[in-house]
Structures are given as structure tokens and as C-alpha cells.
């Protein structure tokens, strides 16, 4: 992380504060997604394990609605070429990644708070485990969705293609995170969730490495 | 030419033997298969299900290898080879899913039960589907080749999770269920000599078939592109 990628992040952050496009879209999407689930549940009592799965459904679709902005906006505004001139590919990727990680953390914190307020069955017994899996899950989500967003932006900003391309890549992370959330709901100790946590961490590392190695090819295209 | 006749004879023999040879309690003649408890007559699908699943993996690997080659050398022929391999991989992936579901219906009681292997083949289907969707959305040849190569590399690094990791996670999802394949008869099946022979002959036959189809496939795409270019030039 050098100062250039930090200033790139600051640029994204400021332009986001000016237009508030991604923040507004994400906030509205969270409300829509949670209320759809609330309406479809109705007066039914849903089990704690089902809320754990639905939690990640909301996270996945919210991420898919807003995270492609990072690169799509550069292509739309025609500023991608300028960026190519002034910064190395890895710098650009770092800047976009920091922005998306912060966006994912903000978004998922809001989802978690709203979600636990709306669903009585969603009670976390082992909060430390939930927090750990939440942090590593968010990083993995941000990394994968950033690199797919770069592909999408070059492919002509096909919005519908984004979840289609991301889902198979995110599937190992989502399945493991659902499992970890269920563990946290059941109050299972760190010792027994060690294997699942190791999967999430290794997913993050592998995806981060692969993204940095492959981003050059996408960016120069 | 001679090896095509040989391949035809081999696959014809495997098909006839795989479907026609009887399964008996105590095999004595060379054409009789042993009875495997829990599988009975269902065991015969192994001659067709395992080769398709094997070729799905081979095609996926070849597609990734040629994608990697394309990214290094930027030769569009490699992209065509990768595409031809993926096309065949998609066909064999669908075949493996369908034969697997049919087998699961008779061995485990339902067509689909989100067993670890079923989940991984489903993920592979999704990856192939997404890959073709990505390719069809891009007009420019070089751009399409680069972006789809990058995507197949990213998809490739998630494969170890499906192969090595999912079985542990999924068995945690439904412990002790009836369709838990770890304790089922599928894993520790016992084949006798002639059954193994036909099984490996089928594997070899289908692999040769795959490489032949792949060869014809990518060469026909190359010829078509060449003709298109000639037509444009006038």
C-alpha cells in the first residue's frame, strides 16, 4: 500500500460522497431485500438456522447491486485511460480494493444490525466467532467482487452478468460463512470452528494473490 | 483411419458389454459381473457415469491450461483451443450431472440431495455457464480471449475448495443422513477383474473420443474464422 493507492482511494471516496450513488443504492437495496424476506416470512416463526442462511442471501445480493461501481464508473466517465497513464495496475487495484472493503464493511454492519433487530430468532451466542468470520468473510467478498467488477467493466458494464460471474467464485466463501454463522448462533467454541475459519482465511489469501497477479491482464486490455 | 475403426470397435464393445453383460451372484464365465450389495443392477451405470465426470475434469483443466497459455503468448489459436475444450466440457458436465442424478435416484432415493460431489459438479456447471455468458457478451476477439482467460484462471483457483474442502463442510450440514455418500456403497465398491477391465476400457475409449472431438472442434473453428476473414477481404 503506497501513498498513490491511498490518494486513489481518497479520490473514489470524495467522488462517492459527492454523488452518493453507491451508498444510496446499497442502503435502499438492504431495506428492500430485508423487507422482501420479512413479507415472505409473514407471521411464520422461522428457525435460527434459517435466519443464518438468509443473512448471507441478503449480503450476497446487496454486494452484487453496488460493488461493481468501483470500475464501471471509471469506464462510464472515460477516466480509465487516464488512470492507466498515471498509475501502475497494482496501485489502481489497491485503491479500488480499499474502497470496496470499506464499502462492504459499512454495508454488512448495517445489514447485521438491521437484521438482528428484525429477526428475533437471529441471536448470536458466540459473538467473538461471529465477528471473526464476519471480518474474514467481508474481506473475501470484497476481493472477489472487486476483481469480477474489473472484468465486468471491461466487458461493457453488463449489470446482469455481475452476479452470474461472481456466484461460482463466491460459492466456497458463502457456504463456509453460512456454516460459521450457524456455529456462532449455536454458540460453538473457536476450537470446533477452526477448520471453517482456516478455509475462509485461505480463500482470502488465494483470491488476493490471484487478483493481484491477474489484474494486469484485465487492466491493460 | 485405422485408429478410428479401433475406437468405434472399442466403444461399441464397451457399450454392449456395459449394458448387456449379466450381473450374477457368483461370476464364473468371463462375461459375468459380480453382484455388489447395495448397488445391484445400478452398478452398470459406472461404465458411463465415471468417464463423463472424468472428461469434465480433463476438459476443464485443458481449457484452463490453454487460457494460461493465451495470457502468456497472446496467440488467439490457444483461445480457440480453450473454447473448444470448454464446449466439450460443458456437454460432458451435463451428461455427468444427469447420469449422476439418475444413479442417485436409484442408489440414494432422490435425484438431488446436495451431496458434496453433486454440489461440486453443480458449481462446475455454473462456472461453465458464466464463462460462456461472459464470452458471448464481448464483441472484440482479443478482449474476449483475455477476459475469459482471466475468468477461467480465477475460477480455477476455487476448484480445490470444491474438491477437498466441501466434503467436510457438507457432511457437517446433514450429519448421519441417509444420502451421506461417505458411508454408502459407492465409495468402497468392489469390482472383479472383468468389470475393472471394461471400466478402464470405457475410460480409455471415452478419453480418445474426447481428444478426437476436441481436435475436430478447434480445427473447424479455425477454418471457419479463416473463411470469414477471406469473405470480408473479398
Amino acid at each position: 500500500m503506497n501513498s498513490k493507492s491511498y490518494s486513489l482511494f481518497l479520490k473514489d471516496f470524495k467522488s462517492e460522497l459527492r454523488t452518493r450513488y453507491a451508498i444510496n443504492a446499497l442502503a435502499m437495496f438492504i431495506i428492500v431485500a430485508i423487507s422482501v424476506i420479512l413479507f415472505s416470512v409473514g407471521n411464520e416463526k422461522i428457525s435460527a438456522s434459517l435466519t443464518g442462511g438468509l443473512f448471507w442471501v441478503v449480503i450476497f445480493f446487496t454486494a452484487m447491486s453496488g460493488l461493481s461501481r468501483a470500475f464501471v464508473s471509471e469506464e462510464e466517465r472515460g477516466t480509465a485511460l487516464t488512470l492507466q497513464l498515471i498509475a501502475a495496475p497494482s496501485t489502481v487495484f489497491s485503491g479500488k480494493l480499499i474502497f470496496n472493503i470499506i464499502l462492504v464493511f459499512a454495508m454488512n454492519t448495517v445489514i447485521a444490525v438491521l437484521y438482528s433487530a428484525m429477526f428475533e430468532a437471529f441471536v448470536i451466542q458466540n459473538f467473538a466467532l461471529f465477528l471473526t468470520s464476519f471480518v474474514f468473510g467481508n474481506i473475501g467478498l470484497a476481493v472477489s467482487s472487486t476483481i469480477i467488477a474489473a472484468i465486468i467493466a471491461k466487458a461493457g458494464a453488463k449489470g446482469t452478468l455481475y452476479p452470474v460471474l461472481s456466484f461460482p467464485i463466491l460459492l466456497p466463501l458463502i457456504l463456509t460463512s453460512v456454516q460459521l454463522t450457524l456455529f456462532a448462533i449455536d454458540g460453538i467454541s473457536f476450537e470446533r470452528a477452526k477448520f471453517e475459519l482456516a478455509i475462509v482465511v485461505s480463500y482470502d489469501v488465494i483470491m488476493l494473490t490471484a487478483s493481484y497477479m491477474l489484474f494486469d491482464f484485465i487492466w491493460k486490455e | 483411419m485405422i485408429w478410428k475403426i479401433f475406437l468405434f470397435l472399442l466403444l461399441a464393445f464397451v457399450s454392449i458389454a456395459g449394458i448387456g453383460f449379466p450381473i450374477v451372484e457368483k461370476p464364473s464365465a468371463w462375461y459375468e459381473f459380480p453382484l455388489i450389495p447395495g448397488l445391484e443392477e445400478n452398478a452398470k451405470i459406472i461404465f458411463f457415469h465415471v468417464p463423463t465426470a472424468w472428461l469434465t475434469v480433463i476438459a476443464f483443466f485443458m481449457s484452463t491450461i490453454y487460457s494460461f497459455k493465451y495470457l502468456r503468448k497472446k496467440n488467439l489459436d490457444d483461445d480457440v483451443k480453450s473454447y473448444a475444450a470448454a464446449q466439450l466440457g460443458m456437454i460432458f458436465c451435463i451428461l455427468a450431472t444427469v447420469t449422476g442424478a439418475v444413479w442417485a435416484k436409484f442408489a440414494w432415493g432422490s435425484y438431488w440431495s446436495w451431496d458434496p460431489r453433486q454440489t461440486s459438479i453443480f458449481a462446475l456447471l455454473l462456472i461453465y455457464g458464466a464463462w460462456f455468458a461472459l464470452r458471448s457478451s464481448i464483441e472484440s476477439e482479443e478482449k474476449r480471449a483475455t477476459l475469459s482467460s482471466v475468468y477461467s484462471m480465477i475460477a480455477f483457483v476455487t476448484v480445490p475448495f470444491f474438491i477437498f474442502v466441501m466434503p467436510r463442510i457438507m457432511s457437517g450440514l446433514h450429519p448421519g443422513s441417509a444420502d451421506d455418500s461417505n458411508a454408502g456403497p459407492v465409495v468402497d465398491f468392489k469390482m472383479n477383474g472383468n468389470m475393472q477391465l471394461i471400466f478402464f476400457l470405457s475410460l480409455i475409449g471415452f478419453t480418445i473420443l474426447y481428444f478426437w472431438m476436441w481436435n475436430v472442434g478447434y480445427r473447424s473453428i479455425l477454418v471457419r474464422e479463416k473463411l470469414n476473414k477471406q469473405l470480408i477481404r473479398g
Side-chain angles (χ1 to χ4, degrees), chain A residues 101-123:
Chain A
I101 284 178
I102 288 177
L103 206 59
V104 165
F105 267 93
M107 161 194 120
N108 287 1
T109 312
V110 172
I111 291 176
V113 170
L114 264 182
Y115 202 81
S116 47
M118 290 296 161
F119 293 92
E120 283 159 16
F122 189 68
V123 180

Side-chain angles (χ1 to χ4, degrees), chain A residues 2-221:
Chain A
N2 47 23
S3 62
K4 235 179 183 178
S5 51
Y6 177 69
S7 42
L8 215 87
F9 156 71
L10 267 190
K11 180 221 80 161
D12 272 346
F13 189 70
K14 278 178 186 156
S15 79
E16 178 55 41
L17 281 186
R18 203 170 294 153
T19 59
R20 283 188 289 277
Y21 179 92
I23 295 174
N24 279 338
L26 284 178
M28 284 317 291
F29 200 90
I30 293 169
I31 294 170
V32 168
I34 291 183
S35 54
V36 164
I37 292 177
L38 280 174
F39 287 139
S40 58
V41 168
N43 292 326
E44 295 282 333
K45 269 267 172 230
I46 59 171
S47 65
S49 56
L50 185 58
T51 57
L54 286 175
F55 177 63
W56 281 93
V57 172
V58 176
I59 287 182
F60 174 73
F61 280 107
T62 314
M64 289 306 103
S65 75
L67 290 186
S68 64
R69 287 298 301 166
F71 284 104
V72 172
S73 63
E74 300 288 353
E75 297 287 333
E76 274 176 0
R77 279 179 270 170
T79 45
L81 280 174
T82 324
L83 271 184
Q84 279 184 24
L85 282 177
I86 60 167
S90 59
T91 316
V92 177
F93 190 72
S94 304
K96 298 289 180 190
L97 186 60
I98 301 168
F99 181 73
N100 265 1
I101 284 178
I102 288 177
L103 206 59
V104 165
F105 267 93
M107 161 194 120
N108 287 1
T109 312
V110 172
I111 291 176
V113 170
L114 264 182
Y115 202 81
S116 47
M118 290 296 161
F119 293 92
E120 283 159 16
F122 189 68
V123 180
I124 305 289
Q125 308 264 355
N126 186 349
F127 192 72
L129 177 64
F130 177 74
L131 204 65
T132 319
S133 69
F134 187 72
V135 168
F136 287 117
N138 283 355
I139 294 173
L141 183 66
V143 173
S144 299
S145 47
T146 309
I147 190 79
I148 302 289
I151 296 180
I152 288 296
K154 291 289 175 188
K158 304 282 193 306
T160 45
L161 216 52
Y162 191 44
V164 172
L165 290 187
S166 303
F167 185 66
I169 309 296
L170 285 171
L171 198 56
L173 180 77
I174 289 178
L175 286 177
T176 322
S177 297
V178 168
Q179 190 71 18
L180 278 169
T181 311
L182 294 186
F183 282 169
I185 289 173
D186 291 340
I188 282 171
S189 67
F190 261 96
E191 266 307 296
R192 283 181 55 198
K194 221 166 45 186
F195 185 70
E196 277 78 4
L197 275 176
I199 295 171
V200 176
V201 173
S202 56
Y203 178 90
D204 290 1
V205 174
I206 289 174
M207 270 307 165
L208 201 61
T209 320
S211 304
Y212 268 102
M213 282 167 74
L214 292 167
F215 183 69
D216 285 23
F217 296 109
I218 306 171
W219 192 236
K220 281 178 197 150
E221 186 44 62

Side-chain angles (χ1 to χ4, degrees), chain B residues 103-168:
Chain B
W103 198 358
K105 173 70 180 171
F106 293 102
W108 302 341
S110 68
Y111 286 111
W112 204 261
S113 48
W114 294 112
D115 166 84
R117 281 287 159 271
Q118 288 181 323
T119 311
S120 39
I121 199 112
F122 177 69
L124 207 53
L125 262 180
L126 282 181
I127 291 173
Y128 273 132
W131 197 75
F132 285 117
L134 176 67
R135 283 187 75 91
S136 59
S137 76
I138 307 169
E139 295 274 326
S140 150
E141 266 183 358
E142 275 90 14
K143 204 177 204 179
R144 181 172 61 210
T146 310
L147 292 183
S148 59
S149 296
V150 169
Y151 186 72
S152 74
M153 300 300 297
I154 295 174
F156 180 71
V157 298
T158 65
V159 165
F161 287 100
F162 291 113
I163 294 176
F164 302 112
V165 172
M166 280 308 132
R168 275 196 71 169

Side-chain angles (χ1 to χ4, degrees), chain B residues 1 4 55 91 102 134 161 167 195 209:
Chain B
M1 190 61 210
K4 282 179 193 165
L55 286 182
I91 296 169
V102 170
L134 176 67
F161 287 100
M195 205 171 178
L209 181 73

